[in-house]
Amino acid sequence: MSFRRIENAPDNVAALVRVDFNVPMADGRMSDDTRLRAALPTIRSLQAKGARIALLAHFDRPKGKRVPEMSLKQILPALGPVLDSVDGLLFVDDCVGDSVKTALSALGPGGVVLLENVRFHPGEEDNDRQFAKALAANFDIYVNDAFSAAHRAHASTEGVAHILPAYAGKQMERELDALEAALGKPKRPVLGIVGGAKVSTKLELLKNLIAKLDRLAIGGGMANTFLYAQGRDIGGSLAEKDMAETARAIIAAAQGKCELLLPVDVVVASEVKAGAASRTCGLGGVGAEDKILDAGPETVTRLLKAMDESATLIWNGPLGVFEIPPFDAATNAAAKHAAALAKAGKLIAVAGGGDTVAALNHAGVSGDMTFVSTAGGAFLEWMEGKALPGVEALKR
Ligand code: ADP
Ligand code: MG
C-alpha cells in the first residue's frame, strides 16, 4: 500500500500527531499504559527530525462537550515518564486556538505537548471543515498514528489530513504493512480462521474472505449455525437458526473459490461452566441437551495441517468458549501452532479482534505472531474489505 511515511517528512516542522490515548480506566485510574508506550516510536522518529510535536487524541465519549472527568490531563502523570520528559511535558487545555499557538512557540526542537480531548468539540465527530482547519492552524504536517480510529471520518482522523500534508505514524505503518501482507497482496496460499459467537455480526467479513482466501476455517458459535444449516443436530448449542439460509448461501458462494473447513468433531457439555463435565464426539453424537463449546481434536489436527500448508494466516474469533477451560483447548492449540510457525518464519500470521487478542494472550503467544491488531472495529472493517477513511486520506 502506498502511503506517506515519516521518513519522507521534512525536518524541523511543527507536527500535529493523532494518537490513540483512549486508555482503559479502572476505579478512576489508568489501568494499562500500552497505548501510551505505543506512540513512542512515532514521537522518537519525529524528534530525530527536530520536530515540535503536539499529541492529539480523543478520550471516552464526551459528545462535543467539555466533561472534566474525560480530560486527557489525567494521563499526564503516566505519559511524562513514558516519554522520559517528566519536567518537559506540557498540557494544553484545548486542542485549537491561541493556547495551542502559545504552547508551540515555547517548544524547542523535539519538544512535546499534549492537547486536550478533541471530542470536547462537536466539530470533531461532525468532521466539520472549519474545525479541521482550526486543528491544522499552527502546524506544518499531520501524522496519524491511530489506526484504531481510522474507520471513523472525524476531523482529527480524516478532515485534517486533507488540509495538511499527511503522514502515517510508525504504529499505523506497522499495522498497514501487516494488513497488506495478510489480505492486500498476500503470499499464497492464504488461510483464514473466523470464529466467535455469531454469524450475524460477521456476515460482511465472511463474504469478503471467501472472495479473497484459499481456505477458510469456521469455528466457535458461528460454526454451529453452519452445522445446523447443513442439517446437523446441534442440541442446545448457541446458534442463529434464522441465519441458516445465509449460511447455505455462503457455502454455495465459496464453492470452487475458497475451501471451507467446518468442524468434523466437537466438545460438548450440558453447561457453560468451568469444570463442567465435557465430552468429545463426532457430529452425529450431539445430544439434545448438549451445547457445542469447542472444536474437537480431529478438527484441530486438520486445522494445524492447513496452517502447515499455508503461507499466510488471517485470524479473527476464538474457536470455542476460550474464557472457560477446558473449552479453550482448540483455540490454544491453534494459537500455539500458528505462533510457532510464525516464529520459525514459515507463516505470516496476522490476527485481531477484541476477544481474539484476549484469547492469544490467554494462550501466551501474542508476541510470537507476525502481527496482532488491537484496533477492534477498524480491524474488523478492514477485514470486511471496507475502505477506512483515515487510511484513505494517507494514500498517495
Ligand atoms: P472478537 O472479539 O475477537 O471479534 P467475537 O466477539 O466474535 O470475537 O467472539 C468471541 C466470543 O465467542 C467469546 O466470548 C467466546 O466465548 C464466544 N464463543 C466461541 N465459541 C463459542 C461457542 N461454541 N458457543 C458460544 N460462544 C462461543
Ligand atoms: Mg468480541
Side-chain angles (χ1 to χ4, degrees):
M1 203 184 304
S2 188
F3 51 87
R4 287 178 225 96
R5 300 174 190 247
I6 291 179
E7 291 87 85
N8 309 118
D11 289 339
N12 304 316
V13 291
L16 178 66
V17 183
R18 178 61 159 97
V19 290
D20 178 1
F21 282 173
N22 198 22
V23 293
M25 303 290 285
D27 307 322
R29 313 190 88 213
M30 187 180 75
S31 57
D32 184 279
D33 71 351
T34 307
R35 286 183 165 168
L36 304 187
R37 284 185 286 108
L40 213 46
T42 293
I43 295 168
R44 293 288 182 250
S45 333
L46 286 166
Q47 284 176 325
K49 285 178 162 286
R52 287 167 292 131
I53 301 162
L55 302 173
L56 177 69
H58 77 270
F59 181 60
D60 214 330
R61 297 195 171 99
K63 305 243 165 83
K65 290 196 197 78
R66 209 168 250 280
V67 181
E69 304 79 66
M70 295 178 193
S71 171
L72 273 167
K73 194 170 187 175
Q74 61 196 308
I75 70 165
L76 210 57
L79 185 60
V82 166
L83 296 185
D84 231 355
S85 62
V86 200
D87 34 45
L89 190 62
L90 257 159
F91 178 76
V92 184
D93 73 352
D94 205 345
C95 60
V96 290
D98 284 342
S99 53
V100 178
K101 190 174 185 174
T102 309
L104 271 178
S105 63
L107 284 185
V112 183
V113 294
L114 173 66
L115 306 181
E116 181 58 287
N117 193 343
V118 67
R119 286 194 186 166
F120 282 0
H121 291 269
E124 163 65 354
E125 293 188 62
D126 293 343
N127 199 4
D128 178 77
R129 173 101 185 149
Q130 288 314 314
F131 180 64
K133 279 188 177 162
L135 284 173
N138 311 311
F139 293 97
D140 304 306
I141 68 167
Y142 164 76
V143 177
N144 189 352
D145 209 22
F147 177 80
S148 56
H151 57 315
R152 306 217 165 91
H154 291 170
S156 73
T157 60
E158 204 261 352
V160 69
H162 295 295
I163 298 169
L164 291 172
Y167 298 83
K170 302 307 283 181
Q171 213 187 148
M172 172 75 90
E173 183 176 301
R174 254 195 92 215
E175 183 104 23
L176 295 181
D177 286 341
L179 301 190
E180 179 76 354
L183 260 194
K185 290 199 184 73
K187 244 172 98 185
R188 290 190 180 272
V190 195
L191 168 70
I193 302 176
V194 177
K198 292 177 172 181
V199 174
S200 54
T201 56
K202 296 198 175 168
L203 209 52
E204 294 305 316
L205 195 148
L206 289 169
K207 284 185 188 160
N208 186 43
L209 293 185
I210 55 171
K212 294 199 173 141
L213 307 181
D214 300 296
R215 282 170 153 179
L216 177 62
I218 297 177
M222 72 161 65
N224 299 341
T225 301
F226 278 84
L227 295 175
Y228 173 80
Q230 292 184 313
R232 298 289 185 177
D233 209 336
I234 57 165
S237 303
L238 172 80
E240 296 166 288
K241 298 193 170 170
D242 56 339
M243 294 298 287
E245 195 56 53
T246 307
R248 282 191 289 270
I250 289 170
I251 293 170
Q255 205 123 55
K257 286 191 203 136
C258 172
E259 184 191 351
L260 293 185
L261 305 175
L262 284 166
V264 293
D265 60 348
V266 292
V267 176
V268 299
S270 55
E271 283 178 291
V272 193
K273 215 174 85 180
S278 64
R279 84 192 153 83
T280 296
C281 63
L283 295 179
V286 180
E289 306 292 304
D290 287 336
K291 294 183 203 306
I292 301 172
L293 299 176
D294 199 12
E298 176 56 25
T299 304
V300 171
T301 300
R302 290 183 187 204
L303 179 57
L304 303 193
K305 184 163 170 281
M307 287 184 196
D308 292 339
E309 295 164 356
S310 300
T312 305
L313 170 71
I314 171 87
W315 182 356
N316 168 258
L319 297 172
V321 183
F322 75 96
E323 300 93 334
I324 305 176
F327 311 112
D328 55 350
T331 304
N332 281 344
K336 287 185 175 145
H337 198 69
L341 288 172
K343 202 175 177 188
K346 292 179 183 158
L347 182 72
I348 295 165
V350 174
D355 292 291
T356 308
V357 173
L360 293 173
N361 286 337
H362 173 76
V365 300
S366 293
D368 288 338
M369 299 287 283
T370 312
F371 187 76
V372 178
S373 174
T374 53
F379 177 82
L380 287 175
E381 287 199 21
W382 166 79
M383 262 186 106
E384 290 170 356
K386 291 188 183 144
L388 309 182
V391 172
E392 292 303 306
L394 301 175
K395 280 190 184 167
R396 55 152 182 208

